[in-house]
């Protein structure tokens, strides 16, 4: 391997949300942080080199996006996902969550209902509520250890006040990579009910063997005509702090409305280093990503085997995508508050509270495996030791 993902890099003292603010958030300064979704790996060498080269220039004025930047995205989507997109479909935003908020402002009115499929990435809730819209929960079903969409529930709940669905694809936190059949059925409902689809595909490059990500807008022109697809290099290449993402919108009318909000908010210009890193990542990052996926899959297998063998009170299934595992901790027989105190206090491991993803997250915690394996070894040992105390 060209890249060393076992390399431990000191992140304390860099204002890292994951490391420097975990103690403040979870009430224990000695926590091992396996929570927020950024990775503890250096970004690809071509990305680091591009940022260094740009920084060495010494002038960081207003920066546009070159044709090569646009083409890097177009080529990446075609090569990785088989989706042919065009330059005039692209609108740049400072992040996927801001893009969700922009879409809500552009395509819904206060009081409208927006569908989410819980348990789901918790900022979905805040962008809906904070913009004065209502959440409609179409809870996922857990069938034989696998989460699926509940289409019957969805169709039953839809009424004339439902204007939008926010799709998490691949799904965070349960790790599903939706099949073509699932996406087609979901899209069919949205077409019939005249519902706009906002597809958060930020994890679309983190896909494991045996699965394939399909952009929902790539299914047909009819579906693309009502879809805003949100992507970013941030999760894939560990550059979330550079605030660079893209909304892909083929419908000219939808794009005009979306762009009007972007312009109105004054957020179209972008960050010079985000622009630089995005182009470098999508142009030169594929070799690094290939090695990363192998490492992440080995991490997933390690965690699964360790928990199965040593902590049977906790259940975990392998995921199809993302570097996040959804731990079923119900076997510990603890309330959610007790579970949090147990993980943060007794075990000394920072994991995401399952209930922040919706009420169906009761009894669950989310673990980030995007780190050198030594951290997972230490974290799992801490949890196992704590569980032994509960067994007594």
């Amino acid at each position: 391997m060209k890249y060393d993902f076992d390399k431990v890099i000191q992140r304390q003292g860099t204002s890292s949300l994951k490391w420097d603010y975990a103690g403040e958030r979870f009430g224990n300064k000695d926590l091992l942080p396996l929570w927020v979704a950024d990775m503890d790996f250096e970004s690809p060498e071509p990305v680091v080199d591009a940022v260094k080269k740009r920084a060495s220039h010494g002038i960081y004025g207003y920066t546009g996006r070159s044709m090569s930047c646009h083409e890097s995205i177009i080529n990446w989507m075609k090569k990785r996902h088989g989706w042919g997109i065009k330059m005039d479909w692209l609108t740049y935003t400072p992040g996927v969550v801001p893009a969700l908020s922009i879409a809500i402002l552009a395509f819904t009115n206060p009081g409208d209902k927006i569908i989410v499929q819980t348990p789901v990435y918790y900022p979905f809730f805040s962008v809906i509520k904070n913009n004065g819209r209502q959440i409609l929960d179409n809870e996922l079903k857990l069938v034989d250890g696998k989460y699926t969409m509940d289409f019957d529930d969805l169709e039953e709940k839809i009424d004339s006040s439902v204007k939008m669905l926010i799709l998490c694809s691949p799904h965070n936190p349960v790790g599903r990579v939706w099949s073509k059949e699932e996406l087609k059925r979901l899209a069919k409902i949205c077409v019939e009910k005249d519902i706009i689809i906002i597809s958060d595909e930020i994890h679309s490059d983190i896909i494991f063997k045996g699965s394939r990500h399909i952009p929902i807008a790539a299914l047909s022109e009819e579906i693309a005509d009502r879809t805003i697809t949100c992507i970013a290099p941030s999760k894939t290449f560990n550059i979330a702090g550079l605030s660079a993402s893209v909304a892909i919108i083929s419908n000219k009318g939808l794009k005009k409305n979306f762009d009007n909000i972007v312009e109105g908010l004054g957020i179209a210009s972008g960050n010079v280093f985000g622009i630089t890193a995005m182009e470098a990542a999508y142009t030169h990052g594929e070799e690094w990503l290939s090695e990363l996926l192998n490492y992440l899959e080995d991490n997933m297998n390690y965690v699964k085997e360790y928990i199965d063998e040593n902590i049977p009170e906790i259940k975990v299934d392998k995921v199809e995508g993302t570097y996040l595992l959804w731990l079923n901790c119900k076997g510990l027989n603890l309330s959610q508050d007790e579970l949090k105190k147990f993980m943060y206090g007794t075990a000394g491991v920072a994991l995401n509270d399952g209930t922040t993803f919706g009420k169906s997250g009761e009894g669950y915690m989310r673990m980030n495996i995007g780190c050198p394996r030594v951290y997972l070894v230490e974290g799992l040992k801490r949890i196992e030791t704590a569980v032994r105390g509960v067994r007594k």
Side-chain angles (χ1 to χ4, degrees):
M1 286 178 61
K2 178 178 178 180
Y3 292 96
D4 181 11
F5 294 102
D6 284 320
K7 181 181 178 182
V8 173
I9 300 168
Q10 183 66 252
R11 296 187 67 186
Q12 288 97 332
T14 65
S15 295
S16 164
L17 178 65
K18 185 176 186 179
W19 286 85
D20 289 325
Y21 296 93
E24 177 183 315
R25 184 183 182 100
F26 298 106
N28 180 356
K29 63 182 179 62
D30 296 318
L31 285 169
L32 177 65
L34 300 173
W35 62 296
V36 66
D38 75 3
M39 298 185 285
D40 294 309
F41 306 129
E42 287 179 318
S43 295
E45 187 176 332
V47 174
V48 176
D49 289 346
V51 171
K52 285 180 177 178
K53 182 179 179 180
R54 184 64 185 85
S56 70
H57 184 261
I59 298 176
Y60 316 122
Y62 296 119
T63 303
R65 296 173 180 88
S66 65
M67 181 60 70
S68 59
C69 180
H70 304 315
E71 289 176 345
S72 72
I73 298 162
I74 293 167
N75 294 338
W76 182 266
M77 294 304 293
K78 183 65 175 178
K79 186 173 183 180
R80 298 295 299 188
H81 305 299
W83 185 23
I85 63 174
K86 299 178 181 179
M87 189 179 78
D88 61 3
W89 297 3
L90 306 179
T91 295
Y92 295 88
T93 66
V96 167
V97 173
L100 301 180
S101 190
I102 292 163
I104 288 169
L105 292 172
F107 308 120
T108 67
N109 294 308
D112 286 346
K113 293 177 184 176
I114 299 174
I115 301 161
V116 297
Q117 296 173 303
T118 61
V120 76
Y121 183 50
Y122 47 86
F124 286 11
F125 306 133
S126 58
V127 295
I128 295 171
K129 291 179 179 177
N130 291 346
N131 284 305
R133 278 63 169 173
Q134 300 182 64
I135 295 168
L136 180 61
D137 186 5
N138 170 225
E139 189 175 310
L140 299 177
K141 296 191 297 185
L142 186 58
V143 181
D144 297 327
K146 184 174 183 176
Y147 282 91
T148 62
M149 296 186 192
D150 190 339
F151 296 106
D152 292 336
D153 175 73
L154 177 60
E155 292 188 284
E156 184 179 319
K157 287 180 175 176
I158 292 174
D159 59 29
S160 60
S161 65
V162 178
K163 303 299 182 182
M164 178 178 288
L165 176 141
I166 304 179
L167 173 66
C168 197
S169 178
H171 196 282
N172 170 14
V174 308
R176 276 300 317 279
V177 175
W178 303 115
S179 68
K180 180 179 282 190
E181 291 69 29
E182 289 170 309
L183 293 173
K184 278 186 173 181
R185 187 169 177 186
L186 181 68
K188 184 174 184 290
I189 293 170
C190 291
V191 169
E192 291 173 350
K193 302 295 184 179
D194 194 24
I195 293 171
I196 296 290
I197 301 168
I198 313 300
S199 190
D200 174 357
E201 302 188 12
I202 196 170
H203 289 280
S204 58
D205 298 315
I206 310 295
I207 308 295
F208 298 121
K209 296 180 186 74
S211 297
R212 175 175 168 253
H213 172 73
I214 301 169
I216 191 168
L219 292 176
S220 73
E221 186 175 335
E222 181 183 39
I223 296 165
D225 211 36
R226 63 175 56 253
T227 300
I228 290 80
T229 304
C230 302
I231 65 166
S234 52
K235 303 299 182 186
T236 309
F237 300 104
N238 207 31
I239 55 174
L242 295 179
S243 300
S245 70
V246 185
I248 305 170
I249 314 168
S250 60
N251 181 309
K252 291 182 179 179
L254 294 185
K255 188 173 187 299
K256 181 179 179 181
N257 289 346
F258 188 92
D259 290 352
N260 285 343
I261 300 296
V262 171
E263 294 292 338
L265 293 172
I267 56 173
S269 60
N271 176 293
V272 57
F273 296 112
I275 294 168
T276 300
M278 172 183 281
E279 180 177 345
Y282 283 142
T283 304
H284 304 293
E286 196 162 32
E287 180 185 22
W288 181 90
L289 176 58
S290 179
E291 292 188 16
L292 170 72
L293 291 175
N294 288 331
Y295 191 87
L296 290 175
E297 192 150 12
D298 286 344
N299 270 359
M300 176 172 63
N301 291 334
Y302 176 80
V303 172
K304 168 70 174 167
E305 291 169 9
Y306 190 100
I307 288 178
D308 287 350
E309 292 176 11
N310 302 288
I311 321 173
E313 293 88 347
I314 296 176
K315 306 296 181 186
V316 62
D317 292 308
K318 293 181 181 181
V319 295
E320 298 166 338
T322 83
Y323 49 80
L324 306 164
L325 297 184
W326 191 230
L327 307 184
N328 181 342
C329 303
K330 294 179 181 180
L332 294 172
N333 295 314
L334 301 172
S335 69
Q336 195 68 19
D337 284 341
E338 291 170 336
L339 178 59
K340 289 188 288 183
K341 290 177 183 177
F342 174 81
M343 290 296 181
Y344 309 153
T346 308
V349 177
L351 305 174
N352 285 94
D353 170 15
T355 57
T356 61
F357 301 90
K359 67 181 188 307
S360 56
E362 183 83 30
Y364 288 83
M365 303 292 280
R366 191 190 73 174
M367 173 183 281
N368 179 350
I369 60 169
C371 59
R373 197 155 305 135
V374 64
Y375 291 153
L376 297 178
V377 172
E378 173 63 22
L380 291 169
K381 283 181 179 177
R382 290 188 184 192
I383 295 171
E384 181 188 6
T385 300
V387 169
R388 283 182 190 155
V390 172
R391 288 174 189 157
K392 295 177 182 179

